Amino acid sequence: KRGFDIFCSGLAVICFGWLYLILAVLVKIKLGSPVLFIQPRPGMADSKTGKEKIIKMCKFRTMTGQRDEHGKLLPDEMRLTDFGKVLRRTSLDELPEVFNILKGDMSIVGPRPQLVRDMVFMTKEQRARHTVRPGLSGLAQVNGRNGIKWEEKLSWDLKYIENITFMEDMKIIVQTVKKAFVK
């Protein structure tokens, strides 16, 4: 699985390097710096301690840094631009995650990394999703993504970790590509 992740993510960087460059320039022009949004997310748990490694997940920035008169960031819906909405809708904001895959923090397919703050709401069974590398795509993404409830996402993640096979990963990749192009 790791060899496949390295091959695919390396190929993506080589084939789509031009797209990364164009998007980075557009983000810089339309949203300013930094171009990347880096957020801590729970990664795969250490097999000895059981404690999740916190990874720095990279995405293209989709929101401005606008603040109110007191210096507090404005609500997300006020900072999300039309350009940012397009990046999110097309999932182009997630392209930099291939560098997380190359680094070994993520996989092409696996449970999508939740926010760190969400870990306190997870049951021990739900935290089992952290026994594998988080993924760029997974069963929850191809079965509803943000249109399904949080518990349902976690259920899909658990279903995935119970049946990890190369063929299952290939099916998820094909479904992900279909959904991306149908959008």
Side-chain angles (χ1 to χ4, degrees), residues 9-179:
S9 55
L11 190 62
V13 171
I14 292 167
C15 292
F16 298 109
W18 59 272
L19 181 58
Y20 283 90
L21 184 61
I22 290 170
L23 289 173
V25 169
L26 287 172
V27 169
K28 174 76 172 162
I29 291 168
K30 294 183 175 286
L31 299 171
S33 291
V35 170
L36 294 178
F37 172 69
I38 299 172
Q39 187 176 48
R41 299 280 181 112
M44 188 166 73
D46 181 277
S47 59
K48 294 175 186 158
T49 65
K51 186 174 182 202
E52 291 90 347
K53 175 184 174 189
I54 304 301
I55 64 171
K56 293 179 180 178
M57 193 170 83
C58 299
K59 293 182 173 195
F60 280 120
R61 186 172 165 199
T62 58
M63 293 192 278
T64 68
Q66 289 178 298
R67 296 177 180 273
D68 65 17
E69 63 275 2
H70 304 291
K72 289 182 64 180
L73 282 173
L74 292 175
D76 290 358
E77 56 275 358
M78 294 179 75
R79 296 184 300 123
L80 182 61
T81 65
D82 289 340
F83 174 68
K85 288 176 187 174
V86 169
L87 286 179
R88 287 184 180 186
R89 189 173 51 248
T90 58
S91 297
L92 289 172
D93 64 320
E94 299 190 17
L95 285 179
E97 290 173 38
V98 299
F99 294 102
N100 289 107
I101 296 167
L102 278 172
K103 185 179 172 191
D105 287 340
M106 291 179 65
S107 184
I108 300 288
V109 179
R112 218 34 214 147
Q114 299 289 328
L115 297 173
V116 171
R117 69 174 184 233
D118 292 342
M119 290 170 48
V120 297
F121 302 111
M122 291 182 196
T123 64
K124 186 176 181 175
E125 180 190 34
Q126 291 169 334
R127 285 180 81 160
R129 66 193 305 282
H130 300 133
T131 59
V132 298
R133 279 189 183 91
L136 181 63
S137 186
L139 273 180
Q141 280 62 50
V142 298
N143 287 292
R145 195 177 177 180
N146 293 331
I148 59 176
K149 293 179 181 175
W150 193 72
E151 293 82 8
E152 196 173 350
K153 284 182 189 181
L154 294 175
S155 177
W156 282 114
D157 292 341
L158 295 176
K159 185 178 275 192
Y160 172 76
I161 66 170
E162 291 170 2
N163 187 34
I164 299 174
T165 65
F166 181 74
M167 287 311 295
E168 187 64 29
D169 281 4
M170 292 297 104
K171 287 179 192 174
I172 292 169
I173 291 169
V174 168
Q175 288 176 305
T176 301
V177 170
K178 280 183 184 177
K179 289 192 182 287

